[in-house]
Amino acid sequence: ETGVTQTPRHLVMGMTNKKSLKCEQHLGHNAMYWYKQSAKKPLELMFVYSLEERVENNSVPSRFSPECPNSSHLFLHLHTLQPEDSALYLCASSQDVDNEQFFGPGTRLTVL
Amino acid sequence: LAKTTQPISMDSYEGQEVNITCSHNNIATNDYITWYQQFPSQGPRFIIQGYKTKVTNEVASLFIPADRKSSTLSLPRVSLSDTAVYYCLVGPYSGTYKYIFGTGTRLKVLA
């Protein structure tokens, strides 16, 4: 247990569906992150939030839309995804952006 | 951006010391060097972080030369459960808040 939870753990969706991934951290951290990990590829940083403000957006397609309503919760809203978006989506948090990151277990997403 | 380069894979035997070196030639002055461990279908787990010289904790040591263009993660007396992918990471001040994970080093510990 890292103090970072993600739901759902597995998700299968069609290309026309809209779904959301949820991340919650119970560590009192100020920074939260979304990463994408495709098969046999390194982790790709998607979004960084610091004190609920987005401070980094790594040229992610608009079909991925993050939301950080408060410092404990982070969402990733998904719509009209493509099969190549199938991957493990990992959430992480850290005390601040230059501290060690604590990762959640990830959501295994399959787009049909 | 501070890109990292690591060996793709390494094999070792139980009880041996394992050293994994990472190159980061473009590391910025304010960047830290952090190592993570990842098991299949799990999120990475923090191992150790350093800025310069040597850092040691209960699981590993991190050696950083004066020029900081490389770093070496040292795992003493590895066991089968240390089989995982190890990532070297530099950041976050190379540009903006960018953390660049490399391809990682797949360590296989053999009995």
Side-chain angles (χ1 to χ4, degrees):
Chain A
E1 275 299 323
T2 61
V4 180
T5 59
Q6 291 186 243
T7 55
R9 294 293 308 276
H10 300 272
L11 178 63
V12 179
M13 60 186 289
M15 289 191 285
T16 58
N17 291 158
K18 290 184 179 181
K19 297 287 185 183
S20 295
L21 308 185
K22 179 183 176 181
C23 175
E24 184 174 0
Q25 57 99 355
H26 310 274
L27 302 167
H29 288 168
N30 295 319
M32 296 187 78
Y33 312 76
W34 278 117
Y35 287 88
K36 175 185 177 183
Q37 188 172 34
S38 303
K40 299 183 180 179
K41 287 187 179 180
L43 283 85
E44 302 171 49
L45 179 64
M46 301 175 74
F47 301 104
V48 181
Y49 277 82
S50 178
L51 296 171
E52 301 151 50
E53 277 194 43
R54 190 192 306 179
V55 297
E56 186 62 46
N57 175 356
N58 260 1
S59 301
V60 178
S62 59
R63 57 185 183 269
F64 295 92
S65 175
E67 179 190 1
C68 188
N70 55 62
S71 59
S72 299
H73 294 86
L74 185 65
F75 294 90
L76 187 63
H77 303 300
L78 317 171
H79 64 97
T80 58
L81 295 192
Q82 305 297 312
E84 59 264 29
D85 296 322
S86 298
L88 182 68
Y89 287 85
L90 291 158
C91 173
S93 73
S94 62
Q95 185 60 55
D96 294 294
V97 291
D98 57 353
N99 298 121
E100 66 180 273
Q101 295 177 40
F102 293 78
F103 284 81
T107 295
R108 175 70 61 186
L109 174 67
T110 302
V111 182
L112 301 176
Chain B
L1 298 177
K3 182 181 175 181
T4 62
T5 303
Q6 305 172 232
I8 297 295
S9 64
M10 296 179 69
D11 288 346
S12 181
Y13 288 94
E14 280 191 292
Q16 288 188 332
E17 177 185 80
V18 171
N19 296 308
I20 306 174
T21 297
C22 178
S23 297
H24 29 79
N25 292 319
N26 297 324
I27 189 169
T29 302
N30 293 332
D31 280 342
Y32 287 85
I33 299 158
T34 313
W35 285 80
Y36 289 85
Q37 175 193 57
Q38 187 178 27
F39 298 111
S41 298
Q42 294 185 24
R45 184 176 70 100
F46 172 86
I47 300 175
I48 197 167
Q49 183 181 69
Y51 182 78
K52 62 180 180 180
T53 63
K54 177 184 175 183
V55 180
T56 298
N57 61 22
E58 62 275 10
V59 298
S61 294
L62 178 59
F63 299 91
I64 306 168
D67 66 5
R68 302 200 331 122
K69 293 184 183 300
S70 66
S71 58
T72 299
L73 174 72
S74 181
L75 304 172
R77 299 179 298 282
V78 294
S79 63
L80 295 175
S81 62
D82 293 317
T83 294
V85 179
Y86 292 83
Y87 293 98
C88 164
L89 183 68
V90 295
Y93 296 110
S94 294
T96 58
Y97 297 97
K98 287 188 180 292
Y99 286 97
I100 308 296
F101 277 86
T103 54
T105 297
R106 189 172 298 276
L107 172 66
K108 186 175 182 180
V109 179
L110 307 169

